[in-house]
Amino acid sequence: MTAKRDKPRKPLSHEMMNEALADPAPDLDAHRDNAKDHDVDDDARPASVRRPIEPGKTSADRVTLSTRVEQYTRIAASLGVALAAITGAYQYVEANEDNRRERSLEIVRNWQSETNIERYTAIQAFVEGKVNEPTLKAQLQVLSPDALPDAQANLGRAWTAALRDSDAPEDKRIERHIDRLMLFFAQMEICIDSELCNAKVLRDYFELEVSTFWTYFKGYAELRQRASYQGYGDPVARLVERFAAMPDP
């Protein structure tokens, strides 16, 4: 069924007919192929990557002069607190060291009191009286330096054993002096070990006295330990070792 035309068709002129015959009809198939190839190239081409737009800084994000000043103030305050803590710790250590020296000097003053001087003088006279006996003195002189300490310890053990078996008042007095001095030196070691006394100060005053005393009377400490006095003289032995291990001034 055909549609009815309302207007009559306009006849073609000779010029229009000549143009139609001269221009060939377009190749529709080739046009489709070119369009297809163009579409394939567009699909194979990698999509362009767009960088995200960075948000602009707001007024809240901008570092103002007052903010920097506040930050520097906080840093300075933190450093001040740390410096104060270090200074306080240093002062605390110095104060403790001063207390240790003062306590050590108190021990020195106690040693220099008349009672302790008399005790040590009596013990010294007792030992010198024994080792200066002609027979014993001759025997000690021929001993080698390595054998002398053991010989002195054996002598002290024999002397104090005789003191304990004697009823003579003078012998009992010497034994009491040995006990008191043993206790005095033991308290010195305990004070140093507990960090309440200064070891260097006490070594400078007492190294010779302690080592000489222990040379002859460590045998007496062994006798007391055998008599159920456990640990008797052990602090004095540690004190002698401590002083000997310390570097020379």
Side-chain angles (χ1 to χ4, degrees):
M1 188 175 189
T2 59
K4 186 177 179 180
R5 296 180 180 271
D6 294 334
K7 293 182 179 182
R9 179 181 298 176
K10 185 178 180 179
L12 297 175
S13 64
H14 293 287
E15 290 80 2
M16 296 174 63
M17 292 179 64
N18 291 333
E19 290 176 2
L21 292 175
D23 294 335
D27 191 352
L28 298 178
D29 293 336
H31 180 72
R32 294 190 187 96
D33 293 339
N34 291 335
K36 185 177 180 181
D37 293 339
H38 181 72
D39 294 340
V40 171
D41 292 340
D42 290 341
D43 293 339
R45 185 179 303 160
S48 60
V49 179
R50 295 184 178 181
R51 296 178 61 185
I53 300 176
E54 297 182 357
K57 291 186 177 181
T58 63
S59 60
D61 297 330
R62 297 189 183 96
V63 179
T64 63
L65 179 60
S66 61
T67 303
R68 291 186 181 276
V69 171
E70 183 179 357
Q71 292 175 349
Y72 293 151
T73 303
R74 290 179 179 176
I75 295 174
S78 300
L79 293 176
V81 171
L83 181 60
I86 294 173
T87 303
Y90 177 78
Q91 291 175 348
Y92 176 77
V93 171
E94 284 295 310
N96 283 345
E97 187 60 33
D98 290 341
N99 291 334
R100 282 192 287 268
R101 283 193 290 264
E102 181 58 32
R103 190 182 294 268
S104 302
L105 293 176
E106 182 64 27
I107 292 177
V108 174
R109 288 189 289 269
N110 188 11
W111 171 259
Q112 292 174 344
S113 67
E114 184 177 354
T115 301
N116 283 318
I117 290 295
E118 287 181 352
R119 288 170 180 166
Y120 190 80
T121 302
I123 294 297
Q124 190 176 28
F126 172 79
V127 172
E128 290 177 354
K130 295 290 186 180
V131 297
N132 285 327
E133 292 179 355
T135 303
L136 182 57
K137 185 176 181 179
Q139 293 174 350
L140 294 175
Q141 288 176 347
V142 297
L143 291 177
S144 64
D146 294 336
L148 184 60
D150 290 338
Q152 291 170 328
N154 292 332
L155 287 173
R157 185 182 297 105
W159 298 338
T160 52
L163 292 175
R164 302 208 71 188
D165 293 337
S166 174
D167 293 331
E170 181 62 20
D171 292 341
K172 293 300 181 185
R173 187 176 68 89
I174 293 296
E175 186 179 4
R176 286 195 301 272
H177 289 339
I178 296 173
D179 281 329
R180 297 298 186 274
L181 292 175
M182 192 77 72
L183 178 61
F184 180 86
F185 294 136
Q187 290 174 339
M188 187 184 303
E189 165 59 22
I190 294 171
C191 188
I192 296 174
D193 188 62
S194 59
E195 298 184 353
L196 297 176
C197 290
N198 186 294
K200 183 179 181 303
V201 172
L202 295 177
R203 195 275 301 268
D204 292 342
Y205 277 97
F206 294 106
E207 183 177 16
L208 180 60
E209 286 78 1
V210 173
S211 60
T212 302
F213 176 84
W214 186 247
T215 295
Y216 286 101
F217 297 111
K218 60 183 177 182
Y220 178 73
E222 294 173 359
L223 291 177
R224 296 297 302 270
Q225 290 180 6
R226 293 174 187 175
S228 301
Y229 199 144
Q230 295 181 357
Y232 183 90
D234 288 347
V236 183
R238 292 194 297 269
L239 182 64
V240 173
E241 294 176 357
R242 180 191 297 276
F243 286 168
M246 292 177 63
D248 295 332

